[in-house]
C-alpha cells in the first residue's frame, strides 16, 4: 500500500545591494541580491518548506533557526539536502515538485533548466519530476516595485 503526502511552501526575500542573487542554486547576474540569514535562495526555501511540510516536520525556520549563528550564510542547497535526508530516512521519496518564482526582475527564463537540474539532483529524482516556472506581478506590489522576490512550491511525497 502506498502512502502519499503533499506539502506547500512559500518564501519571500527582500532585494538589496551588495548581496548575490541566488535562485534555484543558480547565481543570477543582477545589481541586487536577496537578503537573508542564509544565501536567501527563495526557490530552494519554498521547496524545503514543501518537503518538510509534506512529512509533517515543521518548516525551514524550525529546522534552521534564523538566530542560529552557526549556520549564518549557509547554502540553501545544503538546507534542502539536509531536509530531504530527514524525509528520506522516514521512508519517503519525492514524486514531484512544482514551483513558481514571482519576480519582476531579473528574468528567470535563461536559468530555469539549470534550477530544475539542481533541485532534481539534491532530491534524487529525474529532472522531469521537477517543474519550475516564473511570473511577474505586472508591476504590482513589492515584487512589481522590484523590492523583493517570492516563490511557492508544492511537493508530493510517496511512501511505499
Amino acid at each position: 500500500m502506498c502512502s502519499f503526502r503533499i506539502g506547500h511552501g512559500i518564501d519571500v526575500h527582500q532585494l538589496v545591494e551588495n548581496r548575490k542573487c541566488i535562485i534555484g542554486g543558480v547565481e543570477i547576474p543582477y545589481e541586487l541580491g536577496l537578503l537573508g540569514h542564509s544565501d536567501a535562495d527563495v526557490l530552494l526555501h519554498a521547496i524545503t518548506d514543501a518537503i518538510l511540510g509534506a512529512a509533517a516536520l515543521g518548516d525551514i525556520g524550525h529546522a534552521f533557526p534564523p538566530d542560529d549563528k552557526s549556520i549564518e550564510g549557509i547554502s540553501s542547497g545544503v538546507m534542502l539536502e539536509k531536509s530531504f535526508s530527514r524525509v528520506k530516512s522516514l521512508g519517503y521519496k519525492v514524486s514531484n515538485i512544482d514551483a513558481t518564482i514571482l519576480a519582476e526582475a531579473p528574468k528567470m527564463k535563461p536559468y530555469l533548466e539549470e534550477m530544475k537540474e539542481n533541485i532534481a539532483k539534491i532530491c534524487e529524482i529525474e529532472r522531469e519530476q521537477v517543474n519550475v516556472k516564473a511570473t511577474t506581478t505586472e508591476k504590482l506590489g513589492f515584487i512589481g516595485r522590484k523590492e523583493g522576490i517570492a516563490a511557492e512550491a508544492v511537493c508530493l511525497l510517496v511512501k511505499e
Side-chain angles (χ1 to χ4, degrees), residues 38-160:
S38 65
D39 63 11
D41 186 327
V42 293
L43 178 59
L44 295 189
H45 288 189
I47 292 168
T48 300
D49 261 349
I51 287 173
L52 289 170
L57 293 174
D59 63 24
I60 196 169
H62 288 96
F64 305 94
D67 59 352
D68 183 347
K69 298 287 185 199
S70 72
I71 58 171
E72 190 167 346
I74 189 173
S75 162
S76 297
V78 171
M79 296 166 77
L80 176 56
E81 186 177 344
K82 288 181 179 212
S83 298
F84 170 71
S85 181
R86 286 182 66 201
V87 168
K88 185 178 171 184
S89 73
L90 297 174
Y92 289 101
K93 63 182 182 179
V94 174
S95 176
N96 75 298
I97 294 168
D98 184 32
T100 305
I101 304 162
L102 296 99
E104 203 67 38
K107 293 299 179 192
M108 301 293 155
K109 187 175 181 179
Y111 310 102
L112 294 177
E113 291 305 315
E114 187 177 355
M115 291 176 190
K116 292 175 194 178
E117 289 172 19
N118 291 341
I119 295 160
K121 183 177 179 184
I122 293 170
C123 295
E124 300 176 9
I125 55 178
E126 298 298 317
R127 199 226 103 350
E128 294 76 23
Q129 292 172 270
V130 179
N131 187 48
V132 177
K133 50 206 175 293
T135 190
T136 69
T137 58
E138 300 295 329
K139 298 188 172 136
L140 297 173
F142 73 90
I143 293 170
R145 291 187 302 270
K146 301 178 187 174
E147 295 172 359
I149 294 177
E152 292 191 55
V154 292
C155 171
L156 181 66
L157 296 180
V158 178
K159 186 174 189 179
E160 298 184 285

Side-chain angles (χ1 to χ4, degrees), residues 16-20 31-33:
V16 296
E17 294 180 349
N18 302 314
R19 288 279 299 196
K20 292 180 180 179
E31 63 267 16
L32 301 174

